[in-house]
Amino acid sequence: MDGYVRPIAQTDPARPDGARALAGGWCWFDRVELLHRGEPPSVLAASELPGDVLDRLSRPRAPLLGLDWTRPAIMGVLNATPDSFSDGGLYAAQADAIARARAIAEEGADILDIGGESTRPGADTVPPQDEAARVVPVISAVAAVGPRISIDTRKSAVAEAAVAAGATLINDVSGARHDPAILDVAARHELPICLMHSPEDPKTMQQDPRYDDVLLDIYDHLADRIRLAEAAGVPRHRVLVDPGIGFGKTLAHNLALLRRLTLFHTLGCPLLVGVSRKSFIGTLSGVSRAEDRVPGSIAAALAAVASGAQVLRVHDVAATRQAVSVMVPLMKTGGDLG
Ligand code: HH2
């Protein structure tokens, strides 16, 4: 089909005839926005879409790791790094990291995302053996605690070591650009992988980022990364996609992506979004300390839920969980999730 198709997500209990569930989840749509580069958008009835496009937008996403996507999943962040932007240094000592992982599990995280390399703007890259030494003992210690473990890494050797220690999801902020062999690790172990958009180099990514059309450029980029994953033996149903909020993006870029987030459902993969404590929240609210940005983070997370995002990556698990547990029943129409 010519152009980019963006479902217009709704959560009202009154659904017109012909409304379809968005990705089988809690939102529905009966109209889509049609986007073309350099042209004004137009709105079209969903019934006018070709059958395959409508099917990809409405079909429930395949369950992964026991998550069936009937409610948003919460991914709690654990940075086993000395320099992450919001909690760097706090959990660098392994005992502290392990205690924090247990606390995140108790707060109700569905997934625990453990990282040993900061990807904040300007961060230096960490040798794979140092990164593995930070994360593997933590993964081994918490693998039995409860939530699924995700390894936040750009490196195949770290992913391999993390999987051996008990990680069952790979979260690659470079979208397999930094080390494409990471796709082979996911393929070989038949594990899901999250492919995020970010510019090539985190060190320079915030220096005047530019796009022709941020939404469509990132959509095309992720579509390419999925094709690469499929070629490496990772089927589309095992790929999660993430537009990479805050990675090589200005405030205007982040807002453009979050406002039209539903476009990414057209890729046919579960959508993961990380807004937690990020600097755009500080810019919008005037709150400079990252740990004080919890209310703004929750507002942005709930906006992502209203766009049908299946996974929220957050630092404040208990607070987000409470917000989501109130939001979801307000959107659902008495068990009719169809
Ligand atoms: N954001 C960060 C790290 N990993 N992964 C995904 N899939 N999506 C994100 O938005 C994302 C991510 C950055 O946040 P944080 O982990 O707190 O900081 P740092 O990279 O400095 O460790």
Side-chain angles (χ1 to χ4, degrees):
M1 172 160 196
D2 190 29
Y4 299 79
V5 175
R6 186 182 75 81
I8 301 176
Q10 310 266 1
T11 58
D12 196 279
R15 297 186 185 192
D17 288 344
R20 304 288 290 254
L22 178 56
W26 48 92
C27 299
W28 58 268
F29 67 101
D30 67 341
R31 290 168 307 144
V32 297
E33 189 178 41
L34 213 51
L35 303 163
H36 290 95
R37 287 180 185 272
E39 288 177 29
S42 56
V43 172
L44 194 75
S47 55
E48 290 180 47
L49 291 173
D52 58 329
V53 178
L54 193 55
D55 181 59
R56 179 173 279 186
L57 282 175
S58 52
R59 190 168 14 95
R61 303 300 175 236
L64 289 174
L65 308 172
L67 298 166
D68 65 4
W69 316 122
T70 54
R71 63 169 178 84
I74 295 185
M75 172 186 258
V77 178
L78 180 79
N79 287 314
T81 55
D83 57 350
S84 287
F85 81 93
S86 78
D87 55 2
L90 275 182
Y91 310 120
Q94 269 167 25
D96 295 347
I98 291 165
R100 178 65 192 142
R102 292 216 163 95
I104 293 174
E106 274 163 27
E107 287 179 29
D110 300 290
I111 307 166
L112 192 55
D113 189 38
I114 301 180
E117 178 189 57
S118 174
T119 44
R120 73 180 200 293
D124 283 318
T125 166
V126 178
Q129 57 278 19
D130 295 359
E131 191 181 328
R134 290 176 182 176
V135 293
V136 164
V138 183
I139 295 172
S140 305
V142 297
V145 168
R148 306 132 189 98
I149 293 177
S150 152
I151 174 67
D152 186 347
T153 188
R154 305 179 294 161
K155 297 172 196 138
S156 58
V158 177
E160 190 72 60
V163 168
T168 54
L169 169 63
I170 299 168
N171 175 24
D172 182 352
V173 298
S174 83
R177 217 161 29 168
H178 181 80
D179 177 2
I182 202 162
L183 293 172
D184 303 330
V185 180
R188 212 170 336 105
H189 296 282
E190 300 186 357
L191 291 178
I193 184 164
C194 177
L195 300 176
M196 196 193 84
H197 170 269
S198 62
E200 297 242 32
D201 183 4
K203 230 176 152 53
T204 57
M205 68 183 176
Q206 283 307 109
Q207 292 168 12
D208 193 23
R210 282 167 197 249
Y211 301 87
D212 288 337
D213 178 316
V214 66
L215 183 74
L216 304 184
D217 289 3
I218 290 178
Y219 180 90
D220 285 345
H221 173 86
L222 290 174
D224 277 348
R225 305 320 291 172
I226 295 170
R227 277 191 283 277
L228 214 73
E230 287 179 317
V234 183
R236 182 181 292 258
H237 72 261
R238 255 191 259 128
V239 175
L240 297 94
V241 290
D242 182 340
I245 298 300
F247 285 78
K249 282 124 195 153
T250 62
L251 173 63
H253 294 147
N254 289 321
L255 290 176
L257 291 167
L258 288 170
R259 284 190 188 123
R260 284 190 160 81
L261 193 62
T262 57
L263 175 67
F264 297 100
H265 290 297
T266 309
L267 293 166
C269 302
L271 177 56
L272 189 153
V273 183
V275 289
S276 183
R277 300 186 180 184
K278 285 191 175 164
S279 69
F280 82 97
I281 291 173
T283 310
L284 289 173
S285 62
V287 174
S288 53
R289 288 196 334 158
E291 60 271 37
D292 293 336
R293 296 178 188 153
V294 184
S297 302
I298 288 179
L302 292 184
V305 169
S307 294
Q310 286 91 349
V311 187
L312 305 171
R313 182 182 183 277
V314 305
H315 299 86
D316 304 287
V317 172
T320 310
R321 182 130 223 119
Q322 184 183 119
V324 168
S325 65
V326 172
M327 176 83 169
V328 168
L330 291 175
M331 295 187 304
K332 285 184 174 176
T333 54
D336 163 29
L337 312 178

